[in-house]
Amino acid sequence: MIAFIGNQISEKHMNKRIKWGIILTIGIGLSGLGIYQFTPHENEELTAADALPRENKSKTLKVNAQVITPHLLTDEILVTGRLVPDEEVNLSFETSGKITDIFFTEGSSVKRGELLAKVNDRQLQAQLKRLEAQIPLAEDRVFRQNALLQRDAVSKEAYEQVKTELATLNADIENIKASIDMTELRAPFDGIIGLRQVSVGAYASPTTVVAKLTKVSPLKVEFAVPERYAREIKKGMNLDFRVEGRLNAYPAQVYATESSLDMETHSLNIRAIYPNRNGELLPGRYADIQLKQKEIADAIAIPSEAIVPEMGKNKVFVYRNGVAEPTDVVVGIRTESEIQIVQGLAIGDTILTSGTLQLRKGMPVEIQALN
């Protein structure tokens, strides 16, 4: 019993030592943590930030630039037009009748006045023969009446009557001949005749299209320019045009302009002439037309993408001492890819041609490509 009680006391004493040991350990740990919190030490995030390159704190923009040099600037207008024939007509008869003959070959060249087709004229030919048969008798009457008049054997009125009858007969013959001419279809000008739309034996009327005749030499170049250029286009102005599939440019010359602007498009319609002597080009094709207005020597011209519109003004960023500096400019003529600068820039200035929307005054820039 005494031994049991001793063991219990011994166990209690050991448990108390363990508890105090745990409490002591926890206390030491908390003390160490407090000392660590209040002890100065290195901040890894700040250290990493300090280690970053200085340019990341003040961002440098990589841009393209161009050194301004004087060069020849051509003021030109670029528009799209089309080639049209010098003359073109749908061929048809002036009278009605059955087609008896077709003399042309489709797609061939014909000359002015060449007989192309004919309708039935047998009735008219018969009337012509009847009238022509009366001519000798009528002429003989006039001759005899004139001889009698010289001897005062007939009155002057009788002579004038037979003379009028002869004139009427001749007029009737001319009328029949004109009707016969209307049965013949002839080429009104030199050209190329297209596909025929009728056959022999078909009944034709003035509304029946037999074929189309086109004059392709010369060709007309038809186009329009915006109203701001209307007064600058003059008769005799030269131009060049290109067509798809051909590398070379073709010269033409303005020969006429419309008398007024188109009310819907506010543009001026213009026509130029191209000889097309060998018939190389066919009408109906689209053409890219280049009209040269004037040439400016030693002009200051910059790419259009370098211009930054702002508050009704135009500005350009210039490279100076590693930063972008804006400068106001006054622009002149515009071409397809360049804009003339008449005030604000000088020869030798380096302008920035990319990233213009991101640039700000004094912003550091790095030129990655210099033209």
Side-chain angles (χ1 to χ4, degrees):
M1 184 66 179
I2 293 172
F4 175 76
I5 293 172
N7 290 336
Q8 290 291 325
I9 293 172
S10 179
E11 289 179 3
K12 289 181 179 180
H13 181 71
M14 290 181 64
N15 290 337
K16 186 178 292 187
R17 290 174 60 186
I18 293 172
K19 289 180 179 179
W20 280 107
I22 294 173
I23 291 171
L24 183 60
T25 302
I26 293 174
I28 293 172
L30 292 175
S31 298
L33 180 61
I35 293 170
Y36 176 80
Q37 292 291 334
F38 290 98
T39 301
H41 59 280
E42 185 179 33
N43 188 316
E44 295 181 358
E45 293 181 358
L46 293 177
T47 303
D50 290 338
L52 290 175
R54 181 174 298 274
E55 57 267 21
N56 285 350
K57 297 179 180 179
S58 180
K59 186 178 180 181
T60 299
L61 184 65
K62 293 183 178 181
V63 295
N64 297 334
Q66 177 177 315
V67 177
I68 295 179
T69 57
H71 63 276
L72 179 66
L73 183 65
T74 302
D75 184 15
E76 59 187 13
I77 306 172
L78 300 176
V79 294
T80 300
R82 63 191 183 98
L83 304 182
V84 297
D86 185 45
E87 303 289 351
E88 188 173 59
V89 65
N90 288 326
L91 298 172
S92 58
F93 290 99
E94 295 182 75
T95 188
S96 300
K98 182 183 291 187
I99 299 175
T100 58
D101 296 284
I102 294 178
F103 301 104
F104 66 87
T105 301
E106 296 170 292
S108 63
S109 297
V110 297
K111 296 294 184 181
R112 179 180 179 179
E114 185 176 334
L115 182 61
L116 305 176
K118 189 170 179 61
V119 297
N120 185 10
D121 67 348
R122 285 182 297 178
Q123 185 176 3
L124 293 173
Q125 291 289 353
Q127 294 177 16
L128 178 62
K129 288 181 179 180
R130 180 175 61 83
L131 292 174
E132 288 178 338
Q134 298 175 26
I135 290 294
L137 179 59
E139 290 177 341
D140 184 63
R141 287 176 180 174
V142 171
F143 176 77
R144 286 188 287 108
Q145 291 292 327
N146 183 50
L148 293 173
L149 180 63
Q150 297 300 323
R151 298 194 299 268
D152 293 327
V154 295
S155 65
K156 187 175 182 180
E157 289 77 9
Y159 169 73
E160 291 295 336
Q161 182 175 356
V162 294
K163 188 177 178 181
T164 301
E165 290 175 354
L166 176 61
T168 302
L169 185 58
N170 283 320
D172 290 341
I173 291 174
E174 292 301 319
N175 186 46
I176 293 296
K177 287 182 177 180
S179 297
I180 293 174
D181 289 341
M182 294 171 65
T183 67
E184 298 176 343
L185 180 61
R186 295 182 180 274
F189 49 80
D190 296 352
I192 298 176
I193 197 163
L195 305 178
R196 62 184 175 91
Q197 307 298 318
V198 296
S199 300
V200 173
Y203 185 84
S205 69
T207 60
T208 303
V209 175
V210 176
K212 180 180 291 185
L213 180 63
T214 304
K215 186 178 181 180
V216 298
S217 181
L219 280 180
K220 296 174 182 177
V221 185
E222 192 173 81
F223 60 98
V225 298
E227 60 180 332
R228 66 178 180 272
Y229 297 116
R231 291 186 175 275
E232 300 177 19
I233 307 301
K234 305 295 183 182
K235 181 179 179 180
M237 178 180 288
N238 295 320
L239 61 88
D240 293 324
F241 69 91
R242 297 177 183 272
V243 295
E244 185 179 358
R246 301 294 179 91
L247 297 177
N248 53 313
Y250 300 90
Q253 189 176 74
V254 174
Y255 76 91
T257 62
E258 188 57 87
S259 58
S260 62
L261 294 173
D262 188 292
M263 296 299 292
E264 294 183 359
T265 61
H266 295 280
S267 59
L268 180 68
N269 293 323
I270 301 168
R271 283 181 179 172
I273 200 78
Y274 170 65
N276 199 35
R277 293 185 179 89
N278 57 0
E280 178 183 7
L281 299 178
L282 292 178
R285 301 195 67 173
Y286 285 105
D288 294 323
I289 300 163
Q290 180 184 44
L291 287 128
K292 293 183 178 180
Q293 297 288 93
K294 57 183 177 180
E295 294 183 338
I296 303 173
D298 298 330
I300 295 178
I302 65 175
S304 55
E305 59 266 22
I307 298 289
V308 181
E310 187 178 85
M311 302 293 290
K313 296 182 178 180
N314 294 309
K315 69 178 182 179
V316 173
F317 282 96
V318 180
Y319 178 81
R320 292 195 178 100
N321 300 322
V323 298
E325 292 293 340
T327 180
D328 292 335
V329 295
V330 177
V331 302
I333 64 173
R334 296 172 181 261
T335 67
E336 186 177 11
S337 59
E338 291 184 314
I339 299 178
Q340 181 193 16
I341 302 299
V342 297
Q343 183 178 333
L345 294 176
I347 303 299
D349 285 344
T350 301
I351 60 168
L352 306 181
T353 58
S354 68
T356 52
L357 297 180
Q358 304 174 36
L359 292 172
R360 298 293 182 268
K361 182 179 181 180
M363 185 176 186
V365 293
E366 177 184 342
I367 298 178
Q368 61 181 357
L370 183 63
N371 296 329

